[in-house]
């Protein structure tokens, strides 16, 4: 045990830590001297320091020993040593959660808080509030109110901040101190001002009117504290966001005026607030960007970092607004703080011209090894965005990415690179071979199973269609020899695709397959045996169905159907068509992220929307006999925004029926709706057979009602229909505050917009990874062809978009992207018609004055072909 | 992921810690109970931050989704942690206030040994600057006035010994000098 005040020992080791070998039991033993009279302040102080130090190091104190030490400590209040007393407050705060009966010190603290020694008062308030609960708070309420308006700033600040901490616990009590807080807000002391503003906002944040009033008052009177200004800016921008206030509002003017504040902190806060506002125009951004530009040359690293980080955000939405700063950003490329340099380069990559790309990439590769993974991902994302912008630069990028792929890095980083390479390959067919070669090299030494399987899958898809497919076989078969089960299985699937596509490779693939059948893992062996048998048949249709275009059913749906089948065994074999199809995920344009909080939430296996609907509908007895859900449409709005009632409809298609789900919301707080039904009048031979009302619809709580409609059996080509809809319900007026309804009500109705059912509602999107194979598989038995002229359409892009949304089918082989400067294009669409018939559409488009379209439809069922051609015409 | 605006709040600081030049914790306070609730997570985070920052004095870093501002002095590292969206300059003002207040109470000897010898002062300074994540004071003079603590008048730390010696040495040289002068003059006479 090293004694701190033993000066002789001290000189022996200047690097040693006087607290290094502290033992909890020894320290607690020492704490006994707290009970000695007279109190020795110096020794006691030192022991308290040791206790706090131990707690800070994470030493665990049992309740009994902590309580014992705590009670001994209370005796030290008899001493008048200032530092000792302050350390007692700290000990109380530290031990508040681990010791029992801490409230024993309440009276001592109350005495200090109201006493004459100003040095004690603030800290005593803070310690007291730490150990106080709601019931005891009432007892000290009087003192707290006095303390908030005390003329000593430290007392007032302490009381305000402690009140803020207690809002969570006892909102109702603290709410009563608003007037005192209001008074404190006009204090001359800058910190008191800031704390009062914070407390006032917390108490009023749910009352928009009060917040607006408060803002008006403070923005006019002007505050002295820069912290308070920052707080005001945040409140103002939140209010602007919530009220969707235009940028001519006085709040926006206030934020903009803060750009001219004397304090950098306030200026930055205002600039950042403007940048983060949604739908800000370039003109409104300009003043914010120009102050950020000034900050770029600040000597303070933190300010440069803040500025360039914010500019990076601006560059994502408004690259042109940042171009003015390019020169300043160039200077930051060589900044010694690599985070700043990285952000500067990635910003430049977004705003700079194509010619500067090479230089910037060279610059960044010089220090990419020095930056943290978080920023490396930012770099990769910037490259990915760049490739979309300047497709011609892909060779430079590809080179750079392959170098990054060879360096060390975590999983997130590698995944970002692999994703980026894959997207380049998909965008630029000419980069395919180099890209695949880099990925092949990467899987030779890849520790991440997920990435290896992903790349193998890609190789299987793209490899067979390259000029020299044989060179990939070696890389793939190496995986079978060297890797774990999951990777081996993926490699076998990839091999099979080569065998199915390339006849000259088939014999060698079969030999390799034979060796895979000896694998030690079940899954690998099963796959090999399966593929071996399929391949030996040498039938194109089989290859297409079982090797290229795998199962397209929803996995949770399949699990449920199989379970159902095992519960009720029947003579009939299990029918794959009874399983709901997997909905192809809608690929959203990737939103780029700056260095952001990596989400800590574990990623849940997201269930598709349709699986959720399926479950909801199955719970309603009337719908149980309908069979599996075939398709659910996107919600359609049947009311204008901002009306009394908001209704949207989701169309659920079943084999012979449709269910319309109406999600209704009542936005009137003085009404309770009951027995809500949407009555439907069909225009065609559709028949409404059942209504299921929503029993009750209180204010702002959404509820659903349903209508069941039978599709016309006799005429399968009647796929479109218009319904006129009216919402009928019983209104009961109620008290807006309590929600208590009157006893009796009256019937009322509300006319909704018409609802359309179109051909798209009968077709489920399905992705065929290999369209050619699928086309051959379906065959030309029911092929029909027709030519149309689309006079009103001006571009190929527009035509493609129209066709896809009209038919509601899935574009394959990336044929939804029309290459630039082309006059003709072929669009491939795949889908499944209600009832489980595959439909494939090939549309050849040619651009002359309008667009001419030749549509070829294939399906396993003739009526389906007719339906589609009829609806297009 | 990246929430666009910050909920207006006084809770600015997520954590503060002081590490020595081996990355060991000397003091640390976490103000957000959801951020690294266990001691193990906290120490992991500190270790990670230390590894990424101790080589270059860059003032600011972004790690594990947190903005971190830092400063080093001899064998000490001071860190202030805030959320990714936090105003970096606010965090800097906290860091600067802490550093200047400590410089003063440690009589400019901002090094590990001296800090440990005056640990109670350090605890009190941090307590006066941040209360539960709220910036309580950012003016070092105010903090010093409230804490009212100075390092021992005559602590025999190595530096003060050195200082003492230099003073002594200077004195001796002075004496020697004047002796030389006297001798010179006596000879010249």
């Amino acid at each position: 045990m090293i004694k701190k005040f033993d000066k002789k020992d001290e000189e022996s080791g200047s690097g040693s830590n006087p607290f290094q070998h502290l033992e909890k039991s020894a320290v607690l033993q020492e704490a006994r001297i707290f009970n000695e009279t007279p109190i020795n302040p110096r020794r006691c102080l030192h022991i308290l320091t040791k206790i706090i130090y131990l707690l800070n190091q994470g030493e665990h104190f049992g309740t009994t020993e902590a309580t014992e030490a705590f009670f001994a400590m209370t005796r030290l209040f008899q001493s008048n040593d200032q530092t000792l007393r302050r350390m007692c407050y700290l000990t109380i705060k530290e031990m508040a959660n681990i010791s029992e009966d801490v409230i024993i010190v309440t009276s001592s603290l109350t005495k200090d808080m109201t006493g004459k020694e100003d040095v004690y008062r603030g800290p005593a308030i803070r310690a007291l509030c730490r150990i106080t609960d709601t019931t005891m708070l009432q007892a000290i309420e009087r003192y707290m109110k006095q303390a908030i308006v005390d003329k000593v700033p430290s007392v007032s600040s302490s009381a305000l901040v402690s009140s803020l901490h207690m809002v969570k616990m006892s909102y109702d009590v603290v709410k009563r101190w608003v007037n005192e807080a209001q008074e404190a807000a006009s204090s001359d002391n800058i910190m008191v001002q800031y704390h009062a503003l914070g407390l006032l906002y917390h108490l009023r944040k749910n009352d928009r009117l009060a917040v607006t009033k408060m803002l008006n008052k403070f923005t006019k009177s002007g505050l002295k504290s820069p912290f308070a200004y920052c707080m005001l800016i945040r409140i103002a921008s939140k209010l602007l966001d919530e009220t969707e206030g235009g940028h001519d509002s006085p709040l926006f003017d206030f934020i903009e005026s803060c750009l001219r504040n004397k304090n950098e902190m306030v200026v930055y806060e205002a600039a950042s607030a403007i940048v983060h506002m949604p739908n800000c125009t370039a003109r409104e951004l300009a003043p914010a960007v120009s102050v950020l530009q000034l900050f770029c040359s600040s000597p303070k690293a933190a300010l440069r970092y803040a500025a360039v980080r914010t500019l990076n955000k601006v560059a994502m939405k408004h690259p042109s607004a940042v171009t003015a700063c390019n020169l300043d950003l160039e200077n930051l490329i060589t900044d010694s703080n690599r985070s700043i340099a990285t952000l500067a380069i990635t910003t430049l990559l977004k705003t700079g011209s194509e010619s500067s790309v090479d230089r910037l990439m060279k610059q960044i590769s010089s220090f990419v090894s020095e930056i943290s993974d978080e920023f490396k991902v930012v770099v990769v994302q910037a490259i990915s965005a760049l490739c979309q912008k300047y497709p011609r630069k892909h060779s430079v990028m590809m080179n750079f990415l392959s170098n990054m792929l060879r360096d060390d890095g975590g999983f997130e980083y590698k995944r970002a690179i692999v994703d980026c390479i894959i997207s380049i390959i998909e965008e630029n067919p000419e980069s395919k071979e180099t890209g695949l070669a880099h990925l092949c090299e990467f899987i030779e030494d890849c520790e991440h199973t997920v990435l290896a399987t992903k790349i193998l899958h890609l190789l299987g898809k793209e490899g067979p269609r390259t000029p020299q497919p044989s060179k990939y076989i070696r890389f793939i078969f190496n995986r079978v020899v060297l890797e774990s089960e999951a990777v081996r299985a993926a490699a076998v699937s990839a091999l099979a695709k080569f065998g199915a596509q390339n006849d000259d490779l088939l014999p060698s693939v079969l030999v390799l397959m034979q060796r895979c059948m000896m694998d030690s893992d079940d899954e690998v062996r099963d796959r090999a045996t399966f593929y071996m048998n399929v391949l030996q048949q040498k039938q194109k249709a089989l290859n297409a169905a079982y090797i290229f275009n795998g199962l397209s059913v929803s996995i949770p749906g399949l699990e449920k159907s199989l379970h159902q089948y095992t519960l009720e065994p029947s003579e009939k074999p299990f029918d794959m068509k009874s399983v709901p199809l997997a909905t192809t995920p809608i690929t959203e344009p990737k939103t780029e992220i700056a260095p952001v909080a990596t989400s800590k939430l574990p990623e849940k296996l997201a269930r598709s929307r349709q699986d959720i609907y399926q479950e909801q509908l199955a719970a309603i007895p009337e719908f149980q006999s309908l069979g599996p859900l075939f398709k659910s449409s996107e919600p359609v709005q049947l009311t204008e925004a901002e009306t009394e009632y908001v209704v949207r409809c989701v169309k659920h298609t079943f084999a012979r029926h449709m269910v319309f789900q109406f999600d209704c919301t009542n936005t009137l707080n003085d009404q309770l709706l009951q027995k809500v039904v949407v009555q439907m009048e069909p225009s065609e031979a559709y028949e409404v057979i059942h209504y299921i009302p929503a029993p009750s619809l209180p204010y702002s709580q959404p509820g659903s009602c349903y209508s069941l409609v039978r599709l016309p059996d006799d005429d399968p080509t009647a796929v479109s229909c218009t319904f006129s809809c009216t919402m009928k319900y019983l209104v009961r007026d109620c008290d807006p505050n309590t929600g208590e309804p009157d006893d009796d009500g009256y019937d009322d109705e509300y006319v909704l917009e018409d609802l359309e059912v179109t051909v798209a509602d009968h077709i489920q999107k399905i992705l065929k990874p290999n369209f050619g194979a699928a086309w051959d598989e379906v065959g030309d038995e029911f092929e029909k062809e027709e030519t149309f002229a689309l006079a009103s359409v001006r571009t190929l892009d527009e035509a493609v978009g129209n066709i896809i949304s009209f038919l509601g089918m899935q574009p394959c082989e990336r044929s939804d992207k029309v290459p630039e400067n082309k006059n003709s294009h072929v669009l491939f669409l795949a889908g499944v018609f209600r009832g489980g018939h595959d439909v494939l559409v090939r549309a050849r488009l040619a651009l002359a004055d309008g667009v001419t379209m030749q549509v070829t439809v294939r399906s396993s069922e003739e009526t389906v072909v007719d339906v589609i051609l009829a609806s297009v015409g | 992921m990246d929430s666009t605006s910050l909920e207006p709040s006084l809770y600015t600081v997520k954590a503060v810690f002081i590490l020595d030049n081996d990355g060991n914790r000397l003091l640390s306070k976490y103000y957000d109970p959801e951020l690294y609730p266990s001691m193990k997570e906290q120490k992991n985070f500190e270790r990670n931050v230390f590894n990424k920052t101790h080589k270059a004095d860059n003032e600011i870093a972004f790690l594990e989704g947190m903005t971190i501002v830092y400063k080093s002095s001899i064998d000490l590292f001071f860190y202030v942690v805030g959320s990714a969206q936090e105003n970096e300059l606010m965090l800097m003002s906290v860091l600067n206030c802490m550093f200047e207040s400590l410089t003063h109470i440690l009589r400019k000897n901002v090094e590990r040994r001296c800090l440990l010898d005056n640990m109670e002062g350090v605890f009190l300074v941090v307590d006066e600057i941040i209360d539960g994540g709220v910036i309580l004071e950012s003016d070092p003079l105010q903090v010093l006035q409230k804490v009212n603590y100075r390092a021992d008048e005559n602590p025999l730390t190595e530096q003060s010994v050195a200082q003492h010696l230099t003073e002594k040495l200077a004195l001796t040289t002075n004496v020697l000098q004047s002796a030389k002068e006297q001798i010179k003059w006596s000879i010249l006479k």
Side-chain angles (χ1 to χ4, degrees):
Chain A
M1 173 100 239
I2 300 171
K3 286 202 187 95
K4 184 180 148 202
F5 297 102
D6 205 340
K7 301 284 189 228
K8 277 169 208 158
D9 284 356
E10 208 161 72
E11 281 165 77
S12 58
S14 70
S16 72
N17 178 347
F19 298 104
Q20 199 164 30
H21 302 292
L22 279 190
E23 274 201 34
K24 180 179 70 176
S25 52
V27 174
L28 290 174
Q29 193 82 23
E30 277 186 287
R32 288 193 182 160
I33 66 151
F34 292 168
N35 291 322
E36 278 171 19
T37 0
I39 292 166
N40 178 342
R42 264 197 113 152
R43 286 193 64 194
C44 294
L45 179 62
H46 186 53
I47 292 161
L48 279 185
T49 311
K50 283 177 183 169
I51 292 178
I52 296 181
Y53 184 88
L54 280 177
L55 284 168
N56 208 275
Q57 288 294 324
E59 187 81 43
H60 177 76
F61 279 65
T63 313
T64 332
E65 50 190 8
T67 313
E68 212 167 282
F70 187 86
F71 273 69
M73 184 272 300
T74 55
R75 253 202 98 239
L76 301 182
F77 271 88
Q78 289 172 7
S79 159
N80 275 327
D81 184 279
Q82 249 189 36
T83 314
L84 181 62
R85 181 71 61 87
R86 300 288 311 273
M87 285 306 275
C88 286
Y89 299 148
L90 277 194
T91 318
I92 293 168
K93 287 203 270 188
E94 293 288 335
M95 288 197 152
N97 285 339
I98 42 178
S99 163
E100 280 174 343
D101 300 326
V102 283
I103 49 167
I104 191 110
V105 287
T106 305
S107 63
S108 309
L109 288 173
T110 320
K111 209 172 110 207
D112 282 356
M113 146 182 189
T114 51
K116 287 199 183 67
E117 285 271 14
D118 285 345
V119 193
Y120 290 159
R121 293 175 61 202
I125 292 173
R126 292 190 284 128
L128 179 60
C129 289
R130 183 77 181 72
I131 58 166
T132 302
D133 60 20
T134 310
T135 45
M136 277 169 39
L137 191 57
Q138 318 247 9
I140 58 161
E141 184 173 0
R142 189 163 55 95
Y143 303 121
M144 286 301 287
K145 280 183 171 178
Q146 281 167 5
I148 289 176
V149 293
D150 199 284
K151 61 183 190 308
V152 181
S154 72
V155 176
S156 178
S157 269
S158 296
L160 286 164
V161 173
S162 303
S163 311
L164 181 68
H165 293 323
M166 286 187 303
V167 168
K168 281 180 222 122
M169 185 180 75
S170 0
Y171 176 79
D172 291 324
V173 182
V174 181
K175 200 174 61 182
R176 297 199 289 256
W177 309 344
V178 163
N179 288 335
E180 282 75 14
Q182 192 87 49
E183 195 182 328
S186 46
S187 155
D188 284 341
N189 184 284
I190 58 168
M191 288 321 276
V192 174
Q193 230 174 42
Y194 171 56
H195 296 139
L197 177 67
L199 179 62
L200 281 175
Y201 175 70
H202 258 270
L203 291 175
R204 290 172 173 174
K205 64 180 166 190
N206 293 323
D207 181 352
R208 197 178 284 167
L209 196 69
V211 173
T212 316
K213 266 192 204 155
M214 187 173 85
L215 268 178
N216 281 340
K217 183 175 165 225
F218 287 121
T219 49
K220 285 212 186 72
S221 66
L223 295 166
K224 277 199 257 162
S225 156
F227 292 117
Y229 259 111
C230 290
M231 183 76 185
L232 276 183
I233 293 172
R234 284 181 200 179
I235 300 174
S237 70
K238 183 163 188 273
L239 202 65
L240 266 179
D241 191 39
E242 281 174 353
T243 55
E244 289 163 12
H247 297 174
D248 45 358
S249 118
L251 292 177
F252 186 80
D253 292 343
F254 162 71
I255 298 179
E256 204 185 15
S257 74
C258 289
L259 288 174
R260 294 179 290 279
N261 195 291
K262 276 184 294 217
N263 195 303
E264 280 171 343
M265 188 195 292
V266 180
V267 177
Y268 169 62
E269 185 73 42
S272 159
I274 293 178
V275 166
H276 282 109
M277 274 178 204
N279 26 343
C280 214
T281 63
R283 199 175 55 79
E284 285 156 348
L285 276 175
V289 170
S290 60
V291 299
L292 292 173
Q293 184 176 7
L294 279 181
F295 288 161
C296 282
S297 44
S298 158
K300 293 180 199 157
L303 192 51
R304 290 199 303 274
Y305 173 87
V308 69
R309 197 163 88 97
T310 316
L311 283 175
N312 194 336
K313 281 222 176 83
V314 184
M316 280 176 210
K317 278 196 232 147
H318 304 275
S320 55
V322 191
T323 342
C325 312
N326 276 3
L327 210 64
D328 306 79
L329 290 170
E330 291 275 354
N331 292 332
L332 294 182
I333 292 179
T334 46
D335 201 297
S336 62
N337 185 327
R338 293 310 188 194
S339 310
I340 297 179
T342 316
L343 284 169
I345 292 185
T346 48
T347 314
L348 279 171
L349 285 175
K350 288 184 196 109
T351 62
S353 62
E354 190 166 357
S355 57
S356 59
V357 169
D358 292 307
R359 188 173 49 86
L360 290 172
M361 298 302 285
K362 206 171 197 173
Q363 190 73 255
I364 204 167
S365 51
S366 65
F367 63 78
V368 77
S369 57
E370 295 171 40
I371 55 181
S372 65
D373 268 16
E374 274 98 339
F375 281 101
K376 283 181 184 165
V377 174
V378 175
V379 173
V380 176
Q381 281 166 343
I383 294 175
S384 178
L386 203 60
C387 290
Q388 277 166 9
K389 206 163 132 202
Y390 304 121
R392 273 181 294 162
K393 285 286 164 200
H394 66 81
S395 60
V396 186
M397 309 292 171
M398 197 61 101
N399 229 332
F400 181 72
L401 287 171
S402 70
N403 284 332
M404 284 174 105
L405 206 49
R406 277 186 214 115
D407 290 340
D408 292 335
F411 171 67
E412 288 298 329
Y413 171 48
K414 295 277 166 166
R415 187 170 68 175
I417 302 177
V418 170
D419 285 347
C420 184
I421 294 186
I422 293 179
S423 77
I424 294 179
I425 293 175
E426 287 176 345
E427 298 283 333
N428 309 283
E430 62 266 43
S431 68
K432 193 191 276 181
E433 286 207 48
T434 32
L436 288 181
H438 289 312
L439 292 176
C440 282
E441 188 192 327
F442 173 61
I443 52 169
E444 286 287 282
D445 183 23
C446 170
E447 58 197 314
H448 309 293
T449 312
V450 183
L451 292 181
T453 47
K454 187 170 185 170
I455 292 171
L456 282 169
H457 180 75
L458 180 81
L459 283 178
K461 203 171 121 222
E462 301 290 344
R465 284 186 270 181
T466 54
Q468 252 195 311
S470 58
K471 67 178 174 193
Y472 301 107
I473 301 271
R474 178 173 64 87
F475 290 104
I476 299 176
F477 193 68
N478 277 348
R479 299 304 100 216
V480 178
V481 182
L482 300 168
E483 295 277 355
S484 63
E485 294 80 5
V487 181
R488 292 208 299 271
V492 168
S493 302
L495 269 184
K497 286 182 184 150
F498 280 85
Q501 183 104 348
N502 307 95
D503 290 335
D504 47 334
L505 287 180
L506 183 60
S508 355
V509 168
L510 286 177
V511 173
L512 295 178
M513 229 24 124
Q514 207 119 39
R515 287 184 54 186
C516 298
M517 284 163 69
M518 252 85 88
D519 197 280
S520 59
D521 182 70
D522 290 350
E523 171 70 19
V524 180
R525 256 192 339 266
D526 287 354
R527 283 196 192 191
T529 317
F530 174 72
Y531 289 131
M532 181 85 185
N533 285 310
V534 175
L535 286 173
Q536 276 167 343
Q537 305 300 315
K538 295 189 181 159
Q539 284 181 25
K540 282 244 150 72
L542 281 180
N543 285 349
Y546 295 111
I547 297 183
F548 296 124
N549 304 324
L551 279 181
S552 53
V553 294
S554 114
I555 300 297
L558 178 62
E559 185 188 349
K560 203 173 288 166
S561 306
L562 284 172
H563 182 65
Q564 200 64 34
Y565 186 76
T566 52
L567 289 181
E568 299 160 12
S570 69
E571 292 297 303
K572 281 192 292 178
F574 180 74
D575 183 10
M576 251 340 233
K577 284 191 179 156
S578 68
V579 182
L581 293 166
T583 41
T584 28
I586 304 141
T587 43
E588 283 164 18
K590 269 183 226 154
T591 43
E592 206 175 340
I593 39 167
V596 286
T598 39
S599 72
K600 280 185 206 146
L601 294 170
E603 280 181 39
K604 262 195 245 162
L605 186 65
R607 292 193 315 157
S608 71
R609 238 174 95 246
Q610 186 157 351
D611 290 328
I612 298 168
Y613 282 134
Q614 165 94 17
E615 220 158 78
Q616 283 174 0
L617 292 176
I620 300 172
E622 283 85 348
F623 299 152
Q624 273 169 359
S625 57
L626 299 182
L629 175 62
F630 177 71
K631 180 181 184 174
S632 298
S633 73
E634 291 297 311
V636 186
Q637 295 292 344
L638 295 183
T639 51
E640 304 276 329
E642 311 268 324
T643 43
E644 298 96 307
Y645 313 112
V646 179
V647 180
R648 40 176 227 166
C649 175
V650 181
K651 297 174 273 186
H652 302 289
T653 313
F654 291 85
R656 286 195 189 80
H657 299 85
M658 284 187 85
V659 169
F660 298 91
Q661 173 181 345
F662 297 93
D663 295 330
C664 317
T665 312
N666 168 13
T667 62
L668 300 177
N669 61 359
D670 57 353
Q671 281 191 357
L672 171 73
L673 307 188
Q674 287 183 322
K675 299 183 197 151
V676 185
V677 156
V678 175
Q679 192 162 14
M680 304 174 77
E681 293 293 336
S683 66
E684 305 285 328
Y686 283 49
E687 186 192 351
V688 183
I689 48 179
H690 201 78
Y691 289 114
I692 295 174
S696 127
L697 212 57
Y699 164 60
S700 85
Q701 285 176 25
S704 301
C705 61
Y706 300 89
S707 308
L708 176 61
V709 170
R710 178 159 53 219
L711 298 171
D713 277 336
D714 43 342
D715 182 11
T717 55
V719 287
S720 52
C721 181
T722 307
F723 291 90
S724 44
C725 305
T726 315
M727 183 160 82
K728 299 198 165 174
Y729 43 84
L730 178 77
V731 182
R732 290 174 72 184
D733 290 327
C734 59
D735 186 322
N737 296 322
T738 58
E740 198 63 41
D742 289 351
D743 287 339
D744 41 41
Y746 52 93
D747 285 320
D748 201 356
E749 58 180 54
Y750 188 82
V751 179
L752 303 173
E753 281 172 35
D754 287 353
L755 182 67
E756 302 265 357
V757 173
T758 62
V759 64
D761 291 316
H762 301 272
I763 300 178
Q764 177 65 280
K765 288 180 179 192
I766 193 163
L767 182 70
K768 299 280 186 191
N770 191 327
F771 187 83
W775 186 254
D776 291 339
E777 180 197 346
V778 173
D780 55 2
E781 195 182 345
F782 301 114
E783 183 183 289
K784 284 198 183 167
E785 197 169 82
E786 231 172 292
T787 309
F788 304 92
L790 309 172
S792 59
V793 185
R794 290 273 150 252
T795 63
L796 287 176
D797 266 329
E798 198 184 340
V800 167
N802 283 352
I803 300 168
I804 294 173
S805 66
F806 179 76
L807 289 177
M809 294 169 75
Q810 176 70 34
C812 300
E813 310 272 338
R814 304 182 66 76
S815 62
D816 53 332
K817 297 240 167 93
V818 182
E820 279 172 56
N821 307 325
K822 283 268 183 72
N823 284 329
S824 61
H825 182 67
V826 186
L827 174 67
F828 300 113
L829 295 173
V832 172
F833 196 80
R834 181 167 55 82
H837 305 292
D838 273 338
V839 196
L840 300 173
V841 171
R842 187 181 64 197
R844 294 179 203 268
L845 303 163
L847 183 70
D849 276 339
V851 174
T852 319
M853 169 171 79
Q854 185 194 44
V855 182
T856 316
V857 188
R858 282 185 178 190
S859 171
S860 45
E861 172 74 38
E862 190 170 10
T863 42
V864 177
V865 177
D866 293 335
V867 165
I868 295 210
L869 279 179
S871 63
V872 174
Chain B
M1 284 170 88
D2 186 30
S3 74
T4 43
S5 62
L6 214 55
E7 170 70 25
S9 153
L10 294 190
Y11 294 96
T12 307
V13 183
K14 297 264 180 206
V16 170
F17 46 88
I18 305 176
L19 307 180
D20 69 8
N21 56 350
D22 294 322
N24 296 318
R25 165 194 284 201
L26 301 179
L27 175 152
S28 73
K29 298 288 275 174
Y30 286 76
Y31 300 107
D32 183 350
E34 280 160 31
L35 178 78
Y36 309 118
S38 80
M39 192 57 61
K40 202 176 153 209
E41 287 167 295
Q42 291 181 3
K43 292 207 167 167
N44 260 341
F45 175 64
E46 284 161 27
R47 164 76 36 197
N48 191 6
V49 168
F50 180 77
N51 288 340
K52 287 272 161 53
T53 54
H54 76 284
K55 276 183 225 122
D57 198 5
N58 275 338
E59 194 172 299
I60 186 156
F62 185 84
L63 283 166
E64 302 191 16
M66 304 284 163
T67 303
I68 299 152
V69 293
Y70 62 100
K71 209 179 186 109
S72 67
S73 167
I74 312 177
D75 49 3
L76 289 175
F77 291 82
F78 300 86
Y79 297 89
V80 176
V81 182
S83 85
Q85 294 87 20
E86 193 47 76
N87 187 329
E88 288 85 350
L89 301 182
M90 276 193 173
L91 300 176
M92 272 318 274
S93 75
V94 174
L95 179 68
N96 286 334
C97 174
M98 177 165 85
F99 191 78
E100 279 172 40
S101 311
L102 290 179
T103 310
H104 198 264
I105 66 160
L106 301 178
R107 295 169 177 267
K108 300 214 167 76
N109 299 323
V110 186
E111 40 101 26
R112 181 170 171 272
R113 183 65 211 239
C114 187
L115 183 100
L116 285 169
D117 283 345
N118 296 286
M119 210 57 204
E120 54 273 32
V122 181
F123 282 128
L124 291 177
V125 162
V126 174
D127 180 63
E128 281 298 346
I129 299 176
I130 309 153
D131 185 272
V134 178
I135 305 176
L136 197 60
E137 184 54 76
S138 69
D139 177 3
L141 289 178
Q142 293 292 325
V143 173
L144 291 169
Q145 200 190 339
K146 287 182 197 169
V147 171
N148 194 13
Y149 178 93
R150 287 290 298 244
D152 270 335
E153 286 300 328
N154 51 354
L156 242 71
T157 61
E158 204 153 84
Q159 271 193 353
S160 60
V161 171
Q163 210 173 359
H164 191 67
L165 282 180
T166 21
E167 273 167 24
K168 279 273 164 64
L169 216 66
L171 204 69
T172 355
T173 12
N174 271 351
V175 173
L176 276 178
Q177 201 80 40
S178 57
K180 264 188 196 163
E181 297 279 289
Q182 274 178 10
I183 295 167
K184 200 161 78 183
W185 283 112
S186 61
I187 294 171
L188 279 177
K189 263 181 212 168

